[in-house]
Amino acid sequence: EIQQEAKEVLHSFRMLSINAVECIVKWREQIIYAYLLAGGEKALKAQGTIPLIWDNQNYLLKMRSDSSFLPKSELGKLFGFANQSDPFLLAIVSPMYQLNKKRKLVKMNKSQKAILYLPVPSPLMKRIRACEQIIQEE
């Protein structure tokens, strides 16, 4: 069924986004450790944050707009995607809620309800919130 396949693809998108952020954090930790072992504390302080550059862009910053095409896509007819940055697809966790500008879930009126949704288990939400914080601080 196409709707189930769409849910699976979007779940994969969400999980890959989480894994990307977590892997970038681990990569940075390894770079910092290598700098410290080599006595590069001054260079590290001067550098500040260490961005992962992909296709000439800071990948974490790029993630803010990775899902921007979804509201106008064919999937947008089935799911209630957010019009703002939503790299972890939180806007589609419930057919009765949407993300507000402060990234909090608020109740929709009956005419706005999405047809399909993709819930987030509690343990996964903790990881998502941590990843959102990392992207926000970038």
Side-chain angles (χ1 to χ4, degrees):
E1 169 176 318
I2 195 98
Q3 292 177 346
Q4 184 59 35
E5 188 175 329
K7 284 183 172 187
E8 289 171 11
V9 168
L10 292 172
H11 177 72
S12 293
F13 177 89
R14 181 185 282 159
M15 293 307 300
L16 290 169
S17 295
I18 293 167
N19 290 335
V21 173
E22 292 173 343
C23 286
I24 290 169
V25 168
K26 293 288 184 198
W27 171 79
R28 281 182 174 169
E29 289 170 356
Q30 293 297 314
I31 296 291
I32 290 168
Y33 182 68
Y35 263 96
L36 294 176
L37 282 179
E41 290 177 51
K42 287 183 182 178
L44 188 60
K45 286 180 184 177
Q47 171 71 29
T49 186
I50 302 168
L52 176 72
I53 304 299
W54 180 80
D55 201 24
N56 294 319
Q57 294 181 354
N58 178 328
Y59 191 76
L60 290 177
L61 294 178
K62 180 193 162 307
M63 285 183 73
R64 293 178 183 174
S65 62
D66 277 353
S67 63
S68 63
F69 72 96
L70 288 171
K72 292 185 171 108
S73 71
E74 289 298 311
L75 289 173
K77 295 174 183 173
L78 300 173
F79 294 91
F81 294 110
N83 287 320
Q84 73 261 27
S85 175
D86 189 17
F88 305 104
L89 306 177
L90 293 182
I92 61 171
V93 298
S94 166
M96 298 186 303
Y97 292 87
Q98 66 184 8
L99 282 181
N100 66 12
K101 290 182 181 182
K102 294 182 180 180
R103 301 205 45 76
K104 301 292 182 197
L105 290 171
V106 294
K107 202 163 195 152
M108 291 190 276
N109 64 44
K110 289 182 182 179
S111 67
Q112 293 177 304
K113 290 184 182 174
I115 298 167
L116 296 176
Y117 61 99
L118 191 61
V120 178
S122 261
L124 191 56
M125 185 59 84
K126 188 174 181 179
R127 289 175 64 195
I128 288 172
R129 292 300 186 197
C131 290
E132 282 188 319
Q133 186 69 33
I134 291 162
I135 290 173
Q136 184 67 31
E137 292 173 356
E138 190 62 23

